[in-house]
Amino acid sequence: MSDSEFFHSGEAKKTQVQTMFDGIARRYDFLNHFLSLGTDLYWRRKSVHALQLKDGQVLLDVATGTGDQGFSALKAADVRVVGLDFSFNMLELAKKKIDARQLSRKFEVVQGDAENLPFQDNTFDALSISYGIRNVGTISAALGEFYRVLKPGGRMSILEFSEPQGWFFGRLYRFYFDHILPKLAGVMSSKSAYTYLPESVRHFPDRHDFKALLTSEGFHHVKHQDLTFGITAIYNGVK
Ligand SMILES: C[S@@+](CC[C@H](N)C(=O)[O-])C[C@H]1O[C@@H](n2cnc3c(N)ncnc32)[C@H](O)[C@@H]1O
């Protein structure tokens, strides 16, 4: 899929993204761990740590996919997790993993849209989203919903790919992302999904602009932390 074939925002993007994740769900976990060389587990831990979860709290994990961010949160504290995603196939895999780990009393999944959350105002103590915000149709609409469903004082942690800033590592990374990754993924899964990946990272707002967006949606204590030379970043905010 080329740049011009992919919509960058709005409803059309949502439909394409949903179809794409339904299509790659079966291979998603394997590719995630393989292509990140297992580093995603460390990135998730860092993102969960920023939430400062306390026993008894309820976490909403938006765009939960196959549930790995939720499992990471359950290792950090005795919380309850609600995982929301609009891909039926991703959620089916999350459910299988929840059952296999006997966590169904702690982790429930809900099919729904990040831009129109099926929850009342001020419901959750904390909210996470990992590698999901880049994929939503309209980022500000999703952020507005995150703010709405968080309780006052609730923490949010957003984990997302970003473009590394150093000249040398930046070039190396772009070469891997643009040329190696789509080929590897093409052999094992869907080439178009992993052509979309670098393209969507390029279209995501830079660190400064994204933090400004969080502030404009009402979040305070907004900050970011680069991980692994800046190929991933954590953004935090408090309602
Ligand atoms: C790259 S996966 C990340 C999954 C998981 N959070 C993880 O870290 O492995 C992105 C997920 O976002 C979901 N997604 C994208 N846009 C969404 C939306 N508007 N509402 C709900 N889920 C969405 C996709 O279905 C997919 O499961």
Side-chain angles (χ1 to χ4, degrees), residues 21 28 32 44 63-65 85-87 90 112-114 130-131 135:
F21 280 104
Y28 178 81
N32 230 6
R44 289 175 203 290
T64 199
D85 202 287
F86 65 8
S87 161
M90 293 290 269
D113 181 1
S130 57
Y131 307 107
N135 293 301

Side-chain angles (χ1 to χ4, degrees), residues 11-78:
E11 289 303 310
K13 176 181 175 186
K14 272 210 280 205
T15 310
Q16 278 188 310
V17 165
Q18 191 174 18
T19 307
M20 182 177 81
F21 280 104
D22 273 334
I24 63 168
R26 229 168 19 93
R27 308 292 288 166
Y28 178 81
D29 276 350
F30 167 73
L31 277 171
N32 230 6
H33 303 320
F34 177 75
L35 296 173
S36 74
L37 308 172
T39 326
D40 67 300
L41 299 173
Y42 160 73
W43 294 334
R44 289 175 203 290
R45 267 203 310 278
K46 295 288 272 186
S47 173
V48 165
H49 181 73
L51 291 170
Q52 300 179 21
L53 293 170
K54 296 185 182 55
D55 291 355
Q57 289 190 326
V58 185
L59 166 73
L60 175 64
D61 183 44
V62 182
T64 199
T66 61
D68 280 357
Q69 191 71 8
F71 296 124
S72 184
L74 287 170
K75 282 189 191 140
D78 186 13

